[in-house]
Amino acid sequence: MYRAPRGTSDILPGEQGYFRYIEEKAAELCRLYGYERIDTPVFEDARLFIRTIGPGTDIVEKETYSFEDRSGQAMTLRPEGTAPICRAYLEHGMHNLPQPVRLYYFASIFRYERPQKGRYRQHQQFGVEALGDGDPALDAEVIDMAWQFFASTGLANLSLQINSIGCKKCRPRYLDELKGYYSQYVAELCSDCKARLRRSPLRILDCKKPSCQGLAVAAPQSTDYLCHDCKEHFESVMGYLSLLGIQFQKNHRLVRGLDYYTRTVFEIQPQGEEGAQSALGGGGRYDDLIEELGGKPTPAVGFAVGIERIVLNMKQQRIALPAPSGQRVFVAYSGEEAKNEAIKLVATLRRCGIPTLSGLGDRSLKAQLRQANALGAAYALIIGEDEVKSGTVELRDMAKGEQRRVSMGEVVSVLGWGTV
Ligand code: HAM
């Protein structure tokens, strides 16, 4: 027996309601905030991700699904959505449009991680990117959007954590301080962090191993090393968030797992469950990324959320989905002639926008009605020999168990306009 690959899962019909619900909330939010949808390919030139996410990150070092295509080109399945959007921004000359360009996406994301609850090798993200403006008000807009999105899903008890990790001018000094600090405790660092100390000391702050976490508490804080501009920018972002009435916590250990961030970074987590495992969404500013890809300096900011984690949390918080709209009709028949009438009636109802199913084969009327019941049909339309002769159907209200005869010509208006 084949099974879905480890760390992936089938989204069965019973689960689809959550995914569609979340997507609808997201799309409606984007409409309100003026963000337009973009779709990019599932795979890209491998170098795009190495360059932007960073060679020293877990994602690039251990998690990409990379392959050579038949012409020998190195390709990578999209391990995040931001770099492809920046590539598309440049490729399609979007810098010529009025700035910022506001885009959103739903995308399958692939990361070869150790699968566990809320951590998969393929997951879905909803993300937004606002490209071409450095105004801290745009950071606040994007954070507000993330926050309103979660509010619209009905999730409660979330916390918003924010930090600023500075820019290429001020960050080197901070990294030196961080290296100096951790160099005193090399023996206590996990093996991964020993390697990180040389190449990407920022990542140590993010390590989930208890000994490294303990050391992070007293580590130098990036906000103490910000240059004047970054400091002002961060103050403004926080000021705008306060104007918008959005509560946040400053978290000096929040650095994010991708190298492209500058200045603002943020994450949204269930309260009391801090850690990357539980983050429902995250993002930040990436002012150098487009330049890194060969464009002009183009400040930008965005976020993405993990849809499976949101579904998990919605279930934990017992958030019910709205009842599906549109009542279903089931057409049952008895006999060959009645089957012909049933096939025509089903087609007519569907063309009139009424969701309809019918029995198949030569099951008894009783068995067909049991099936109608199991499918949650609101009404059954029953056609037998008598009905064929008289051009009528028996209309059965499944909940009440009441039945009445309706002429074939009336069925659509009776069902379609709810005057049953
Ligand atoms: P990220 O934090 O790596 O950011 O991923 C965004 C969200 O995707 C996470 O907060 C989490 O909910 C979900 N997620 C990540 N990995 C997994 C996984 N293995 N299984 C299930 N869910 C997962 C980014 O990808 C950035 N591109 C976000 C961004 C957009 N930054 C700026 N713009």
Side-chain angles (χ1 to χ4, degrees), residues 80 82 111 113 120 123 125 129 256 260-261 279-281 302 306:
E80 68 98 34
T82 308
R111 296 182 186 174
E113 300 201 75
Y120 313 106
H123 71 275
Q125 285 188 2
E129 315 292 350
R256 312 270 303 128
Y260 52 60
Y261 290 109
L280 296 176

Side-chain angles (χ1 to χ4, degrees), residues 135-181:
D135 192 326
L138 195 57
D139 306 47
E141 171 180 296
V142 160
I143 296 173
D144 173 50
M145 230 179 140
W147 193 247
Q148 300 310 326
F149 165 71
F150 284 110
S152 76
T153 63
L155 284 174
N157 299 325
L158 301 182
S159 84
L160 167 63
Q161 320 258 317
I162 73 168
N163 193 17
S164 173
I165 53 171
C167 65
K168 56 185 172 213
K169 266 197 294 173
C170 55
R171 198 177 314 151
R173 192 162 77 87
Y174 173 56
L175 294 184
D176 281 347
E177 280 299 316
L178 214 51
K179 273 187 193 163
Y181 169 78

Side-chain angles (χ1 to χ4, degrees), residues 22-93:
I22 293 166
E23 279 175 19
E24 275 166 28
K25 295 289 178 195
E28 171 58 12
L29 181 86
C30 291
R31 196 182 64 77
L32 282 176
Y33 284 70
Y35 283 68
E36 291 185 302
R37 177 151 178 170
I38 180 168
D39 290 291
T40 61
V42 167
F43 58 89
E44 299 263 1
D45 187 319
R47 289 167 299 182
L48 173 69
F49 296 115
I50 299 171
R51 190 139 182 206
T52 55
I53 300 173
T57 55
D58 278 359
I59 297 182
V60 164
E61 271 191 349
K62 311 181 196 163
E63 297 173 2
T64 46
Y65 279 88
S66 296
F67 61 97
E68 251 184 30
D69 71 10
R70 286 168 197 273
S71 69
Q73 299 240 50
M75 296 290 170
T76 294
L77 296 188
R78 174 175 54 205
E80 68 98 34
T82 308
I85 303 288
C86 293
R87 194 260 313 130
Y89 175 90
L90 284 171
E91 187 173 336
H92 303 287

Side-chain angles (χ1 to χ4, degrees), residues 90-136:
L90 284 171
E91 187 173 336
H92 303 287
M94 290 190 224
H95 53 276
N96 295 318
L97 300 173
Q99 307 291 301
V101 174
R102 293 178 163 93
L103 301 170
Y104 78 95
Y105 52 92
F106 297 106
S108 295
I109 302 291
F110 304 86
R111 296 182 186 174
Y112 189 82
E113 300 201 75
R114 202 161 55 78
Q116 50 199 290
K117 191 171 160 214
R119 184 168 289 276
Y120 313 106
R121 290 185 174 169
Q122 176 177 346
H123 71 275
Q124 301 280 328
Q125 285 188 2
F126 154 57
V128 314
E129 315 292 350
L131 309 121
D133 204 311
D135 192 326

